[in-house]
Structure formats: structure tokens, C-alpha cells
Amino acid sequence: HPDQDSLRFFSPRARYDLKSYVISCKDVKYLNVADARIFPDSGKVVIQRKAKMETLTNARILANLVTKYHNIYNVSVNIFARKKYAGSGDYDYVNEVKEKQKIHFTNISTDTTFQTYATGDISEESKFSLSPYFDYRGKAKLFANQQYLTFDGSFLIKHECKGISKSWL
């Protein structure tokens, strides 16, 4: 496709259908896209007419290839080119007392410098806590080249002080 760059991956078994212009690949271990490695769960990759790749479901993304800070799972992703993809998936945030909490990133993509980023919303109902002392609601942002997530929202101090109301800051 003239608007795409050259995406490359290995497939020990592939079928090229010259009548329908479909390439069906099997046993694909991973695809390197932008700064990430995408692992299709079934190992199956299908490329339709006009170089449109079918959506990968239940995939996993490792971002980035240098730091390997972030693993995103249960990913549904569309790969558009060697440096461009978009999808959604789940991420395990581990707080300071080593409790895992799931964040759903509704937008996982690449920026203009081909770096992976992800954004998602954390609701008050999810009972998300940054630590044993702080609850959180708002946006969560992941940048593949940064080890820690960025939060933009409100926090609630957990306390048992009588006479002091609890309110979101």
C-alpha cells in the first residue's frame, strides 16, 4: 500500500491467495511496530486486500523495546503500518504495597515520534488506590519511555479523623 511503510515479521507458515489477494500467516510470534512488540495470541495474522491487516484480539503489547517497562494485555489492536497502530487493552498497576489493580486503556497508539502512549479513565466506583492512604479517580496516562504512569485527576485522603470530612482534591 503506497501510504504504508514496510512492516516486516516472520511467519514459518503462510498462504498467499492470489484470487482474493489475502495473505494468511500462522505461527507469528510477534510483530515489531514503532517502539513496541505486539504478540498475537493465536499466532495468526491475516492481511486482506489493499494491505489491511485484520484486527488482532487478545494480543499483548510490550512497550518499549529498549526499556521494557510496560506490558499491556487483553489487547484489541489494529496495525496500520510499521510505525503506526491503535487499540485498547488492560494494564496492571502495582501500588506501593504491591497490590495489583487493573487499568483499562481505551486508547493505545503511537505519537508523532512513533512512541507508544496509552490513556484511560479510572472511575470512583473502581475503588482505585494509589497507596493505602490515597484513593484516585481521573485519567491515567502511559508513556512507553517512562517507567511510571502519569495521573491527572483527583485523590481522596483515607483517614479516620473525626470532624474532618472526606472530600476529593
Side-chain angles (χ1 to χ4, degrees):
H1 192 283
D3 294 333
Q4 295 177 345
D5 50 16
S6 54
L7 176 66
R8 296 183 296 269
F9 59 91
F10 295 101
S11 174
R13 297 183 332 159
R15 180 175 180 205
Y16 304 87
D17 187 329
L18 297 177
K19 289 182 181 177
S20 63
Y21 298 104
V22 174
I23 303 172
S24 300
C25 305
K26 295 186 179 181
D27 302 328
V28 176
K29 292 188 193 281
Y30 61 85
L31 300 95
N32 288 337
V33 183
D35 68 335
R37 182 162 284 170
I38 300 174
F39 300 89
D41 82 321
S42 65
K44 184 178 176 185
V45 174
V46 178
I47 303 168
Q48 299 287 346
R49 181 183 295 263
K50 296 187 179 180
K52 183 180 182 324
M53 186 179 292
E54 287 185 359
T55 302
L56 300 178
T57 57
N58 201 30
R60 188 171 60 87
I61 296 175
L62 173 64
N64 68 28
L65 290 174
V66 175
T67 63
K68 299 179 179 160
Y69 287 142
H70 306 288
N71 278 292
I72 307 169
Y73 60 96
N74 292 335
V75 174
S76 176
V77 63
N78 290 304
I79 299 172
F80 305 112
R82 184 171 57 143
K83 296 181 180 179
K84 186 177 180 184
Y85 71 92
S88 62
D90 297 325
Y91 181 84
D92 286 334
Y93 172 79
V94 180
N95 67 15
E96 69 179 40
V97 291
K98 307 295 185 224
E99 294 174 326
K100 278 186 186 178
Q101 298 171 89
K102 183 168 68 173
I103 298 173
H104 180 72
F105 287 119
T106 53
N107 180 26
I108 306 167
S109 193
T110 54
D111 63 17
T112 57
T113 64
F114 311 114
Q115 298 292 307
T116 296
Y117 72 90
T119 59
D121 292 316
I122 299 170
S123 68
E124 185 176 341
E125 294 76 29
S126 68
K127 305 268 189 234
F128 188 87
S129 66
L130 296 170
S131 76
Y133 309 106
F134 297 99
D135 284 343
Y136 176 80
R137 68 179 183 196
K139 295 199 177 303
K141 299 176 186 176
L142 176 150
F143 300 97
N145 62 347
Q146 297 175 13
Q147 183 175 3
Y148 302 107
L149 301 182
T150 301
F151 296 97
D152 184 8
S154 304
F155 67 92
L156 177 70
I157 300 172
K158 295 182 185 180
H159 65 82
E160 300 302 323
C161 301
K162 294 185 190 290
I164 300 176
S165 66
K166 292 183 180 182
S167 60
W168 290 92
L169 304 170

